[in-house]
């Protein structure tokens, strides 16, 4: 049995290395479903390839998918092979509308230089899943020059994407409250670039001014990067070329200041944290008895955590595993 | 030295049990700062008391603090002792505005039956910290009849509060996009009650109708609970009495259907998960060498996680600690 799996793995890896897009699709499915073969393949392929990874985030309805669609065109004009990961919230309320947006991107399905994959986000608001980063690693190993990761939603997933991507683009609109939302939620700090999309709507100039003022108060970024602001109208393509050049400028900044490696380490750190978090989630689901004891005050959460992870009881001072 | 700590602990616990509010404040500070004395005290006090725990959440600017202020008054009219935990995002951009809201609540500082505590949320968007639940446990042990936990922000903290509170209130406004935001982000599913606050603004009726339609599509809740919708104007107090009665009705529903214990277990589960997540976060911060190996593809995230938690290497199949 193990030998069969081994030969399947080698066959899949060989086809993957040859650039067979069906091998990529199969590998992504294996990884997303947590299949051991996917884990094994990932281990062989990790660290191969070097894509420019761009995270695109912002509130629902900001036009992220349409903007991504336009950015793909810009990348293709420059001869880049492009991968896209679109992370959907799994809520039944959102499925419909988002699929509608995604359909616009389907024109790229005729283009062999573009590969688009939708991923379910486990738990509507649970941030970016470890499986998303695993998928990203596969796309990178496949040899794409540029990978866009579009995260729908608000909150944790925006912070997560900034840890995973090399360059993070925050998409806002002139809609009332959109900028305020960004300031309040602390998302300002994580964006390397801003797009004020739907700039043809009233209030675009005002939001650009508000952003500028807020950014002046914001702490300096590594290497002295000042996040630029790009007015765009994704529906017509207006401003998208300048935005793409902005993405490129940020990548050059990372290279010039030796910052890319730090980004890659942060991504690895995120992956390891996600694994530990997922273990914690699974173990606490399974251990009804231990959890009941915590609820009754018989065990502290720290004692329960040690027991669930199979650590020696009483090791350390309750502040972590020894 | 250990004996000194032991006598300090006993003294603090005795004053706490006598209802000394300064002992509560000291205990909260010890717990929030992660002091071992706080952990020890918490362990002695866990599981004592039985408060009605109400989570209040919603987007920034929805008027949550003003509404909480009004709900405190309703609780006091009924003779309840009230504790409030206000969880602030730590972003420098938000501090000012939120402090402004909080000042309104300060009139209760003259009232010995009300205790209000602001907690820093570690990491602006990182969801609810384990320390918040520890603080909640302390307030409960102190003997408050009702505890309001107000979470500012969007995303993960809203999902977290629903796991920690017995009753979750989602505050919306007629502002454009507020309901849409709720539907998109999957927050609908976690609310036991809705308040459409600032109902005197245009569009209030429309949002109530939208919510009703969405709730009809929403899956049934445990015990057949149908989340009610309350129009409120927190600034004048309009609709707040009905809302308070709604909170009470939900609590009676939990009691009648034996659902309270399940809520308490979910809170305990959240605490244990938080501990494991925090260990993961700390360990990945400290272990530069291991993380670098993951980034280079020399270690898988699973192998790194095992190494960091001090688990036997090679135990299990890469799907978790054995």
């Amino acid at each position: 049995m193990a030998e069969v799996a081994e030969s399947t793995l080698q066959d899949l890896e060989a086809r993957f290395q040859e650039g067979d897009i069906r091998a990529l699709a199969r590998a992504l499915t294996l990884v997303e479903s947590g299949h051991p073969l996917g884990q094994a393949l990932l281990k062989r392929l990790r660290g191969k390839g070097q894509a420019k990874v761009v995270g695109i985030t912002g509130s629902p309805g900001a036009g992220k998918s349409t903007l991504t669609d336009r950015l793909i065109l810009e990348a293709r004009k420059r001869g880049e092979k492009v991968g896209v990961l679109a992370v959907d919230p799994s809520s039944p309320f959102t499925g419909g509308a988002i699929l509608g947006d995604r359909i616009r991107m389907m024109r790229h399905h005729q283009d062999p230089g573009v590969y688009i994959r939708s991923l379910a986000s486990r738990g509507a608001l649970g941030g970016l899943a470890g499986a998303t980063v695993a998928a990203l690693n596969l796309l990178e190993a496949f040899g794409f020059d540029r990978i866009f990761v579009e995260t729908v939603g608000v909150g944790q997933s925006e912070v997560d994407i900034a840890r995973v991507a090399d360059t993070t683009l925050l998409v806002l609109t002139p809609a009332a409250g959109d900028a305020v939302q960004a300031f309040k939620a602390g998302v300002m700090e994580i964006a390397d670039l801003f797009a004020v999309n739907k700039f043809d709507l009233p209030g675009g100039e005002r939001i650009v001014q508000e952003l500028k003022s807020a950014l002046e108060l914001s702490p300096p970024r590594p290497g002295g990067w000042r996040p630029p602001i790009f007015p765009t109208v994704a529906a017509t393509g207006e401003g998208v070329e300048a935005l793409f050049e902005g993405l490129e400028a940020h990548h050059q900044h990372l290279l010039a200041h030796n910052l890319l490696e730090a980004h890659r380490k942060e991504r690895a750190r995120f992956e390891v944290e996600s694994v530990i978090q997922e273990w914690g989630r699974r173990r606490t689901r399974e251990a009804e008895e231990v959890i009941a004891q915590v609820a009754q005050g018989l065990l502290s959460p720290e004692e329960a955590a040690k027991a669930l992870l199979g650590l020696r009881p009483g090791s350390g001072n309750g502040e972590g595993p020894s």
Side-chain angles (χ1 to χ4, degrees), chain A:
Chain A
M1 283 295 284
E3 279 172 40
V4 174
E6 181 65 20
S7 74
T8 310
L9 180 61
Q10 282 179 352
D11 174 54
L12 186 58
E13 188 184 356
R15 285 167 49 219
F16 187 99
Q17 306 262 27
E18 284 160 15
D20 180 347
I21 205 93
R22 285 163 310 169
L24 171 61
R26 172 123 193 263
L28 284 166
T29 303
L30 288 171
V31 161
E32 207 190 355
S33 66
H35 193 285
L37 210 54
Q39 298 285 335
L41 187 68
L42 199 55
K43 202 177 161 186
R44 291 191 190 216
L45 294 169
R46 282 184 72 80
K48 294 210 195 324
Q50 181 72 285
K52 298 171 183 175
V53 180
V54 179
I56 300 177
T57 190
S59 37
K64 292 183 297 297
S65 291
T66 315
L67 197 58
T68 303
D69 176 69
R70 294 285 177 178
L71 289 169
I72 294 170
L73 288 176
E74 288 298 323
R76 294 298 293 144
K77 272 194 221 162
R78 289 158 180 83
E80 297 182 353
K81 281 177 66 189
V82 181
V84 180
L85 286 179
V87 184
D88 293 0
S90 47
S91 164
F93 292 109
T94 55
I98 287 164
L99 283 175
D101 290 339
R102 290 286 146 71
I103 282 165
R104 256 170 270 146
M105 279 208 265
M106 278 178 58
R107 59 169 144 163
H108 299 295
H109 280 172
Q110 306 301 323
D111 178 351
V114 179
Y115 181 78
I116 298 172
R117 176 89 172 198
S118 281
L119 292 178
S121 76
R122 274 183 227 157
L125 290 166
L128 216 57
T132 306
V133 189
L136 173 60
N137 290 335
L138 279 183
L139 286 189
E140 194 158 27
F142 196 75
F144 289 106
D145 302 301
R146 189 176 297 266
I147 300 170
F148 294 110
V149 186
E150 184 200 333
T151 61
V152 186
V154 286
Q156 189 56 37
S157 63
E158 290 175 323
V159 179
D160 291 349
I161 193 60
R163 298 183 59 189
V164 163
D166 302 325
T167 298
T168 302
L169 169 64
L170 179 59
V171 185
L172 301 171
T173 70
D178 216 5
V180 178
Q181 197 86 357
F183 304 149
K184 289 253 181 189
V187 175
M188 291 285 297
E189 293 90 335
I190 58 110
D192 300 308
L193 302 94
F194 293 85
V196 178
N197 195 32
K198 305 188 181 180
F199 197 72
D200 49 343
L201 294 180
E205 268 309 334
R206 186 184 45 74
I207 198 175
V208 168
Q209 289 313 318
E210 283 176 20
L211 274 174
K212 275 189 184 156
S213 311
L215 283 168
E216 277 166 24
L217 301 170
S218 167
R221 309 297 168 91
W225 177 258
R226 309 289 304 172
I229 304 163
F230 296 93
T232 57
V233 186
T236 64
E238 206 182 314
V240 175
E241 190 173 350
L243 173 61
F244 189 89
E245 279 159 16
L247 296 176
E248 193 57 27
H250 184 255
H251 190 81
Q252 294 308 321
H253 171 85
L254 293 180
L255 291 177
H257 293 79
N258 242 334
L259 292 166
L260 206 51
E261 199 196 333
H263 273 264
R264 295 308 163 115
K265 274 196 192 162
E266 190 58 26
R267 195 210 283 184
R269 193 171 280 126
F270 177 81
E271 288 185 89
V272 179
E273 277 183 40
S274 298
V275 166
I276 295 174
Q277 194 177 343
E278 183 53 34
W279 285 349
R281 202 146 29 203
R282 190 149 39 83
R283 285 297 165 108
T284 53
R285 289 279 163 281
E286 292 162 358
E288 270 301 311
E289 189 52 42
V290 173
I291 296 302
Q293 289 182 353
V294 175
Q296 291 159 33
L298 302 174
L299 272 181
S300 76
E302 289 78 14
E303 288 165 342
K306 281 187 186 175
L308 292 184
L309 290 176
L311 300 166
R312 276 181 299 128
S315 69
N317 53 4
E319 294 200 355
S322 64

